[in-house]
């Protein structure tokens, strides 16, 4: 059951990372349009800066679960290499607990911000787009990341530690 849930969350993480990539492509095209309008046509578009800034929040968090799945976070490798299997396991446990604390904090903050902006009806200053539309993808990504960390912790804690090889 745990393995199936982990696979499903990982698959959802891949889809969210794809959404993040699509947002980055939209930002790139919108910024290129803004540069063209400003320097070629001579009529700057006032929406480019706000739109790309608002899209930064979801783009920043949509790839979190995928990065964890691919073990793509920056690491200092000399410490795990210097530790034995038990030490590496403990270090991985500590790392996941830290990710849970930080990810959980940001997930709660993002869900709260999404809810508050939805309830208040707050909109962006220039585009007048509802702010919750920009908070929601990041909130979903952070909740998924936190769930994924919990599942990875569960797998780590339920998998027996490899016993050290005995000399005979």
């Amino acid at each position: 059951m745990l393995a199936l849930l982990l696979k499903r969350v990982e698959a959802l993480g891949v889809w969210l990372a794809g959404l993040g990539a699509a947002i980055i492509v939209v930002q790139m095209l919108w910024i290129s349009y803004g540069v063209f309008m400003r320097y070629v046509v001579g009529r700057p578009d006032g929406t480019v800066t706000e739109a790309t800034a608002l899209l930064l929040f979801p783009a920043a968090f949509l790839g979190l679960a995928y990065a964890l799945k691919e073990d793509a976070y920056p690491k200092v490798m000399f410490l795990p290499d210097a530790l034995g299997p038990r030490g590496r396991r403990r270090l991985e446990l500590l790392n996941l607990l830290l990710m849970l604390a930080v990810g959980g904090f940001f997930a709660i903050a993002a869900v709260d911000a999404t809810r508050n902006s939805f309830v208040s009806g707050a909109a962006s200053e220039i585009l007048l787009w509802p702010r919750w539309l920009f908070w929601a993808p990041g909130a979903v990504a952070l909740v998924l990341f936190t769930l994924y960390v919990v599942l990875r912790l569960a797998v780590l804690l339920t998998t027996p530690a490899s016993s050290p090889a005995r000399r005979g």
Side-chain angles (χ1 to χ4, degrees):
M1 176 67 178
L2 186 58
L4 177 65
L5 190 54
L6 193 64
K7 276 189 178 282
R8 296 253 167 95
V9 169
E10 286 176 346
L12 192 52
V14 171
W15 279 99
L16 288 180
L19 178 61
I23 288 173
I24 290 170
V25 169
V26 168
Q27 285 178 306
M28 177 200 64
L29 293 172
W30 207 330
I31 290 170
S32 299
Y33 164 77
V35 169
F36 176 79
M37 291 301 290
R38 176 179 298 271
Y39 294 109
V40 176
V41 178
R43 296 185 53 172
D45 182 353
T47 64
V48 173
T49 302
E50 184 183 33
T52 54
L54 288 171
L55 291 172
L56 281 176
F57 178 76
F61 293 110
L62 285 167
L64 283 176
Y66 180 73
L68 182 57
K69 173 188 176 294
E70 295 298 319
D71 196 25
Y73 289 112
K75 294 181 185 179
V76 178
M77 292 306 298
F78 75 87
L79 184 59
D81 290 345
L83 298 172
R86 289 176 69 196
R88 278 193 291 271
R89 183 178 170 97
R90 288 180 181 157
L91 188 61
E92 185 178 355
L93 178 65
L94 175 65
N95 191 31
L96 287 172
L97 287 171
L98 288 172
M99 286 185 186
L100 178 61
V102 173
F105 171 79
F106 281 113
I108 291 167
V111 167
D112 190 47
T114 303
R115 186 184 58 75
N116 288 340
S117 64
F118 181 79
V119 169
S120 73
S124 61
E125 285 77 19
I126 296 170
L127 297 169
L128 300 179
W129 292 348
R131 283 203 179 268
W132 69 268
L133 288 174
F134 299 97
W135 282 105
V140 167
L142 284 160
V143 168
L144 181 81
F145 172 75
T146 305
L147 173 64
Y148 186 49
V149 170
V150 167
L151 292 173
R152 293 274 301 256
L153 269 168
V155 167
L156 182 66
L157 293 172
T158 58
T159 305
S162 57
S163 57
R166 297 187 182 220
R167 294 181 187 178

